[in-house]
Amino acid sequence: MPRRELLKSLAALAAGGTSLHNLPRSSGSERILFRDIARDTGMTFRHDNAASPEKFLIETMGSGCGWIDYDQDGLLDLYLVNGAATKLYTPQHPLRSALYRNNGDGTFTDVTTQAGVGAESLFGMGVAVGDYDNDGYPDLYVLGYDRSILYHNRGDGTFTEVTARAGVANQGMWASSAAWFDYDNDGRLDLIIANYVDWSPENNAWCGEHKEGYRGYCRPNDYHGQTPTLYHNNGDGTFSDVSKASGVGLKPGNGLGVVTFDYDNDGWQDIFIANDGMANFLFHNNRDGTFREVGYLAGVAVSSDGRPEAGMGTDAADTRGGGWQDLVVTHLDFEQARLLRNLGDGSFEDATSAAGLAYATFHLSGFGARFMDYNNDGVPDLFIANGHILDNIRLFHAETRYAEPKLMFRNTGKGVFENVSQKLGPDFMLPRVSRGAAVADFDNDGDLDILVSNNGQAPQLFRNDGGNSNHWLEVFLIGARSNRDAVGARVKLVAGDLISHEQRKGGMSYQSAQDPRLHFGLGRREFVDSIEVQWPSGAASKVEKLRSDQIVAIKEGAGIVDRPFPRIRSL
C-alpha cells in the first residue's frame, strides 16, 4: 500500500471512520508469480492435433484438461485430452489421453494404462468430471468428435468403460464441452453437452486463398450447427436422451463452452452455452423437467450492437458482491471478451467496457476462462487462456500471432478489472496456442493454480506462488439427499465485513473440469463468522466460527465432517 494511502487510512481509523477490515489492501500482484512447473512434476504429455495440409477443422478446436481426485486421497489428479489419427495423419506412436496421479510430493505419475482411461482412437475435445452414481468416486466423461466415452470409477484406482450400457455415446455429434448437473433436483447428476458443427472429412471445405500457404481453417458457419444434448440420469447406471423433450435440443447451435448456474437464484440450475458465430443460448429452468431458451430476452445472446460473436469459453461469478452471478464469454480477436452483468431481474447488461476488459481482449482470441480469486483478497478475478485459430494468421493480420500470452485481470472491487498479466512473471506471459483451462488448488496450500492445455503443444501447470499471503478458506460440499457432488448448491460466507456468494456450478471454462471445492479469499480476515449452504434438495446448513487457512468438508445434514486434504510441502 502506498505510504500516503496508509496514513490516510490510519487517520480515519483513529477518528472512528472505518475498520481494520476496510483498510486498503495491496493487490498482491507485485509479489505473486505463476511459475510453469509442468516439466518439473514429471509430466511428459504433449497434445497432438493431427495437423494436416487439408486443414481439418477438428485440428484447431481442442483440447481440454481437468482435475479429478480419482482415488479420493485428498489430492487432485489431472487429466489431459488428446487427438487421434485421421485419414490424413498417422502419428509416430499411438495417441491417447492421459491421467496423471498426484503423488503428494510435487510430482505426478502417468497412471493411464493402469486406470484404463486412455480414450484411444477418440479424437478428443473435452472432459467432464462427476460422481453420477453417488458412490463417492468421481467418474470421467471424455468428449470427442463423432462420439464420447464414459468411464465409471470402480474405487480401486481403475475405471470401466460403460458408454454403451449408460447410453451416453453422443454418437454422430461433435462434442466440445459438457457439465454434470442436477437439473431436476432429484439427487442424481444429469449431463448437458455443448455440440459444435456437422463437419466431416468428406465435407471439409477449402477456405482461404488458393495459393501456397494461404489455406485456412473454415468458419463454423460454413457448416450446419448441432443441437445440444441433455441426458437424464435414470438412477440405475443408465441415461435417457431428453434433449428434445426438455426443450434444450430443439434449436441447433455451434456450441463450444457451457456453464450451469442459477442465474435467477430460484434454487434450480440454468444452462448457458457459448455459441461460435451464432447467438448464445441461455436455457431457463422451468422446474418441471423442461427449459425455455431466453438468450435474447436476457441480453446474453449477442453483442450490445446486435452481432453474434465467436463464443468459446464461459464462466459465471458474483463479481460485485451482490449475490447475483455475472457471465463472461470469450471470443476471437477483434470482438472482445464480454462481461455480462446480472441485473437481478432476469436480465443482463453488457459491461465489458465499464469493467475494463475491452482493450486488453480486443486483439487476442480467448478460449479457457475462469473467475478465480488468485490473490485471496475476497473478490473474484478473471483468467483467460488465449490462442488463435489460424496457424497462418500473420499472412492476413501482420500484428496477430497464432500463439498468444495469457491474461489475468484483478478485480479492484465492484466488478471493475485491472490487467495485471505482466506482473505475474515471465512464465505467465509465454505465448502458447491455448485452449482449455482448469483452476484448482492442486497442492492444497490455499491459493489457486492453473492447468492449461495447448493445441499441438505441451500443457502448462502454473503454480501460484504468493497468493496465500492473504487468508483463505476452501469448502468441499458433500450432498446426501442432494447429488453427492452438491452441484447446484449456493453458499454464503460471512467474515467480518466480507460477504461472499458462490455456487457449486457445472462445466465452466472451455472443454475442462475444475476443482470441485469452493474457494474463498479472505484478505486479512483470520476468522469466518458463518457459512450458509442452500442445498439442491431444499435443505439448509449453517456452520459458524471457523478459523481461516483450512479446507473444510460440509455434509448435507451433518455439518462439518472429517476429511483429509494433505498439503504438499516439498515444492
Side-chain angles (χ1 to χ4, degrees):
M1 176 190 315
R3 179 178 175 81
R4 183 176 297 178
E5 275 190 59
L6 178 61
L7 292 175
K8 282 184 179 180
S9 299
L10 291 174
L13 179 63
T18 187
S19 71
L20 281 173
H21 288 317
N22 289 325
L23 284 171
R25 290 173 299 212
S26 167
S27 69
S29 56
E30 293 82 8
R31 63 179 180 272
I32 294 175
L33 296 178
F34 280 92
R35 303 182 192 276
D36 180 8
I37 61 168
R39 288 186 179 180
D40 299 333
T41 65
M43 280 191 284
T44 59
F45 180 89
R46 184 180 181 90
H47 180 254
D48 192 327
N49 65 336
S52 73
E54 293 299 307
K55 302 292 185 181
F56 282 179
L57 191 56
I58 53 173
E59 298 168 8
T60 195
M61 299 309 298
S63 63
C65 54
W67 297 99
I68 173 173
D69 183 6
Y70 80 100
D71 52 1
Q72 289 295 282
D73 63 355
L75 295 167
L76 286 170
D77 315 296
L78 62 88
Y79 192 81
L80 297 161
V81 181
N82 211 349
T86 69
K87 292 182 177 180
L88 299 178
Y89 177 76
T90 302
Q92 292 183 346
H93 305 284
L95 301 180
R96 67 178 189 181
S97 297
L99 175 65
Y100 281 90
R101 183 180 185 274
N102 188 333
N103 297 322
D105 60 0
T107 66
F108 289 82
T109 298
D110 187 336
V111 294
T112 311
T113 300
Q114 302 94 300
V117 291
E120 293 85 357
S121 78
L122 175 72
F123 204 106
M125 289 288 149
V127 58
V129 173
D131 182 4
Y132 73 86
D133 57 352
N134 292 330
D135 67 352
Y137 287 89
D139 307 298
L140 193 63
Y141 190 68
V142 187
L143 301 104
Y145 169 73
D146 199 43
R147 66 185 178 94
S148 297
I149 297 174
L150 177 61
Y151 291 108
H152 176 253
N153 192 333
R154 299 175 61 183
D156 60 0
T158 68
F159 292 74
T160 302
E161 202 262 280
V162 296
T163 313
R165 178 183 181 277
V168 292
N170 203 37
Q171 197 73 45
M173 307 296 275
W174 177 348
S176 176
S177 300
W180 292 101
F181 78 129
D182 184 3
Y183 75 88
D184 52 358
N185 286 346
D186 66 352
R188 299 186 293 265
L189 287 179
D190 311 299
L191 183 65
I192 177 69
I193 303 172
N195 295 310
Y196 197 40
V197 298
D198 69 346
W199 174 91
S200 71
E202 289 72 31
N203 70 1
N204 188 56
W206 183 294
C207 293
E209 299 181 46
H210 285 266
K211 60 181 183 180
E212 183 69 26
Y214 277 75
R215 185 173 186 175
Y217 295 103
C218 293
R219 299 172 303 171
N221 289 338
D222 292 325
Y223 304 94
H224 295 294
Q226 295 184 328
T227 55
T229 302
L230 179 61
Y231 288 114
H232 176 260
N233 190 331
N234 298 324
D236 59 359
T238 69
F239 293 77
S240 296
D241 187 340
V242 295
S243 307
K244 290 185 177 180
S246 67
V248 168
L250 297 179
K251 184 167 60 174
N254 301 335
L256 286 181
V258 61
V259 59
T260 64
F261 69 120
D262 183 4
Y263 78 90
D264 54 357
N265 288 339
D266 67 351
W268 297 73
Q269 280 215 317
D270 312 294
I271 307 166
F272 178 80
I273 294 179
N275 282 320
D276 185 2
M278 293 180 63
N280 302 317
F281 294 151
L282 177 60
F283 294 102
H284 177 260
N285 194 326
N286 294 326
R287 296 182 276 182
D288 61 0
T290 69
F291 292 82
R292 182 167 60 103
E293 205 286 296
V294 297
Y296 275 104
L297 290 174
V300 300
V302 294
S303 69
S304 55
D305 57 359
R307 293 182 302 106
E309 296 180 303
M312 294 185 286
T314 187
D315 195 11
D318 177 13
T319 67
R320 296 163 294 159
W324 299 93
Q325 297 274 309
D326 305 317
L327 272 169
V328 67
V329 188
T330 59
H331 301 104
L332 282 177
D333 54 334
F334 304 109
E335 288 184 339
Q336 305 170 355
R338 298 283 173 186
L339 180 69
L340 305 169
R341 283 183 177 162
N342 191 330
L343 300 179
D345 60 359
S347 69
F348 294 74
E349 66 175 359
D350 188 339
T352 305
S353 295
L357 300 181
Y359 177 78
T361 62
F362 184 74
H363 290 289
L364 297 173
S365 296
F367 279 85
R370 278 303 318 277
F371 287 110
M372 55 178 291
D373 187 358
Y374 81 96
N375 56 1
N376 284 344
D377 67 351
V379 289
D381 312 299
L382 176 62
F383 169 79
I384 301 176
N386 303 293
H388 208 276
I389 292 292
L390 300 177
D391 53 359
N392 56 358
I393 184 61
R394 292 188 68 180
L395 296 175
F396 309 99
H397 298 142
E399 301 303 317
T400 306
R401 300 292 185 269
Y402 183 42
E404 298 176 328
K406 314 293 185 293
L407 287 172
M408 181 72 80
F409 294 94
R410 183 178 73 89
N411 191 338
T412 62
K414 302 300 181 183
V416 177
F417 294 84
E418 171 195 5
N419 184 0
V420 296
S421 310
Q422 295 185 357
K423 299 179 180 180
L424 301 179
D427 288 357
F428 190 83
M429 294 302 296
L430 286 174
R432 292 291 186 271
V433 187
S434 298
R435 296 293 184 257
V439 171
D441 180 11
F442 84 91
D443 47 6
N444 291 339
D445 69 347
D447 50 29
L448 293 175
D449 314 294
I450 310 170
L451 176 66
V452 178
S453 179
N454 299 309
N455 184 269
Q457 300 173 330
Q460 294 165 289
L461 176 55
F462 292 104
R463 185 186 65 201
N464 185 332
D465 289 346
N468 56 9
S469 59
N470 275 331
H471 294 296
W472 55 276
L473 188 81
E474 291 173 7
V475 179
F476 182 71
L477 298 175
I478 306 171
R481 288 173 52 202
S482 304
N483 66 87
R484 187 177 178 90
D485 286 356
V487 178
R490 293 175 293 157
V491 178
K492 176 183 177 182
L493 177 145
V494 178
D497 64 315
L498 176 68
I499 300 176
S500 294
H501 298 269
E502 182 58 289
Q503 296 183 12
R504 180 71 165 89
K505 298 181 285 286
M508 299 174 278
S509 188
Y510 177 80
Q511 299 182 346
S512 299
Q514 313 299 318
D515 191 331
R517 301 167 296 190
L518 301 181
H519 177 271
F520 295 91
L522 300 175
R524 296 175 178 175
R525 302 164 185 87
E526 298 181 5
F527 297 92
V528 171
D529 299 309
S530 64
I531 299 174
E532 299 177 44
V533 183
Q534 297 291 327
W535 300 90
S537 67
S541 300
K542 185 174 183 178
V543 297
E544 298 179 298
K545 306 301 180 185
L546 296 173
R547 291 194 65 90
S548 64
D549 305 332
Q550 61 172 320
I551 306 173
V552 297
I554 301 177
K555 186 173 182 177
E556 183 178 12
I560 293 180
V561 296
D562 185 50
R563 189 179 182 94
F565 295 97
R567 181 169 177 176
I568 296 173
R569 299 185 181 276
S570 61
L571 289 175

